Amino acid sequence: MIAELHGKISGSGSNLSDRLEDKLTGDVFGLLRYMPFHIGMAQILRAAKIDGLSECVNQTDIDFWGDRIQFWPYHEEGEMDAFLELDNAVISIEVKYMSGLSSDDEIDNTGDIAGVQKEESQNQLARESRMVRQWCPSHKRPFLVFIANESECASICNNVKSRAILEPGVELGYVSWQEILNQLSQIVADEPYQQLLLNDLVSLLRRKGFERFTGFNIGKELEVVPSDYYNFEYAKANNDVCFEYPESINGGSYYEYR
């Protein structure tokens, strides 16, 4: 609904296949804004791998926050997916679903001489760091949160930070869709309608294929010897081995065995 209200999806839905990322952004964060800040949004922000953000979230004492988030605000350098303003911080949120960064270059400022102006990169996260820095009041801290599949979150953020192309003072970090699903799955809401909204969000993210592979459960009667060979089809049929996996596994996705 949010994506269509903001013109990302046409009224007829003819461009929906090209706007799945925007639809997911609107579905998830548009729904979360109907719930108190401490139910859902705060947990997601605390789970982000980014210095200082959890501290700012813990210092935030608000209930209704639906008027503090903007979707796809425009800036001359581009457009961020969501922009959230708290009492002590501003947070830019960049969402990826089935695509990578929209722009990048080869700029690397790590070898620059101190005092010399660094070259501006057109990397999408570098541009958004300048945007959030410009929109951040002097008394607040600017953060940039990158959301993507677990297989690419860390590598993309680490690459950007290693090149010294971010706007000074802006903290960049990430939280994966898999971790968002994990966080939302653990929440027990205050009210039945809130729990219903959370359950719908969890079901949506599972349907998108963001459930982590949790590993193998080996039956108590089965002793596994590293040097031996096992036919798992036979073992599964005899209830010796239980495979826990999501309803669908994406061929190009990353799964953690633990």
Side-chain angles (χ1 to χ4, degrees):
M1 180 177 69
I2 297 295
E4 187 168 347
L5 289 174
H6 283 76
K8 294 296 180 178
I9 300 174
S10 66
S12 63
S14 59
N15 66 337
L16 182 57
S17 61
D18 298 324
R19 292 293 184 175
L20 291 177
E21 204 165 79
D22 293 329
K23 185 177 185 304
L24 184 59
T25 301
D27 287 347
V28 173
F29 296 101
L31 198 60
L32 284 175
R33 70 176 185 158
Y34 296 126
M35 292 186 284
F37 182 73
H38 70 278
I39 300 179
M41 195 64 199
Q43 281 89 331
I44 290 174
L45 294 176
R46 288 193 192 101
K49 306 295 185 181
I50 180 168
D51 292 339
L53 184 54
S54 290
E55 178 185 353
C56 289
V57 171
N58 291 336
Q59 294 171 354
T60 299
D61 184 19
I62 56 174
D63 191 15
F64 175 71
W65 61 283
D67 58 347
R68 297 190 180 212
I69 186 169
Q70 302 177 49
F71 292 96
W72 304 287
Y74 174 77
H75 186 278
E76 61 182 7
E77 286 215 61
E79 189 179 69
M80 59 185 71
D81 291 316
F83 181 76
L84 174 62
E85 185 164 0
L86 304 180
D87 293 338
N88 53 6
V90 294
I91 305 164
S92 172
I93 299 174
E94 176 56 38
V95 174
K96 294 300 177 186
Y97 173 33
M98 301 178 70
S99 64
L101 298 181
S102 64
S103 61
D104 201 358
D105 50 36
E106 300 299 322
I107 292 177
D108 187 329
N109 291 319
T110 54
D112 288 2
I113 302 173
V116 177
Q117 184 175 1
K118 296 182 182 294
E119 188 176 1
E120 281 194 352
S121 171
Q122 292 307 303
N123 174 281
Q124 184 179 10
L125 295 179
R127 288 189 289 107
E128 291 192 9
S129 73
R130 297 193 292 269
M131 292 158 60
V132 70
R133 174 73 273 183
Q134 185 175 331
W135 284 349
C136 182
S138 59
H139 64 287
K140 298 186 179 184
R141 297 181 62 179
F143 296 94
L144 175 53
V145 178
F146 181 59
I147 300 176
N149 198 291
E150 202 157 45
S151 62
E152 54 194 24
C153 273
S155 60
I156 289 177
C157 283
N158 290 338
N159 173 268
V160 171
K161 289 194 282 190
S162 70
R163 292 156 55 192
I165 57 177
L166 293 170
E167 187 71 7
V170 177
E171 293 290 347
L172 169 66
Y174 64 90
V175 58
S176 69
W177 283 116
Q178 285 83 355
E179 183 57 31
I180 289 176
L181 171 56
N182 177 53
Q183 292 294 323
L184 296 180
S185 300
Q186 298 179 44
I187 298 173
V188 178
D190 300 332
E191 301 290 343
Y193 82 89
Q194 296 169 350
Q195 192 64 56
L196 178 61
L197 293 175
L198 285 171
N199 292 344
D200 285 347
L201 274 180
V202 167
S203 296
L204 173 65
L205 294 178
R206 283 176 175 162
R207 184 173 178 81
K208 293 293 184 182
F210 294 130
E211 191 166 20
R212 287 171 172 147
F213 187 90
T214 56
F216 307 105
N217 284 339
I218 307 299
K220 295 181 180 179
E221 303 300 322
L222 180 65
E223 181 181 357
V224 178
V225 180
S227 60
D228 287 352
Y229 170 83
Y230 297 87
N231 184 325
F232 286 99
E233 287 299 323
Y234 173 82
K236 183 178 180 182
N238 287 273
N239 296 319
D240 289 327
V241 178
C242 175
F243 294 87
E244 294 182 0
Y245 53 89
E247 296 181 2
S248 61
I249 295 179
N250 299 325
S253 297
Y254 165 83
Y255 298 89
E256 180 178 353
Y257 294 82
R258 56 182 180 174

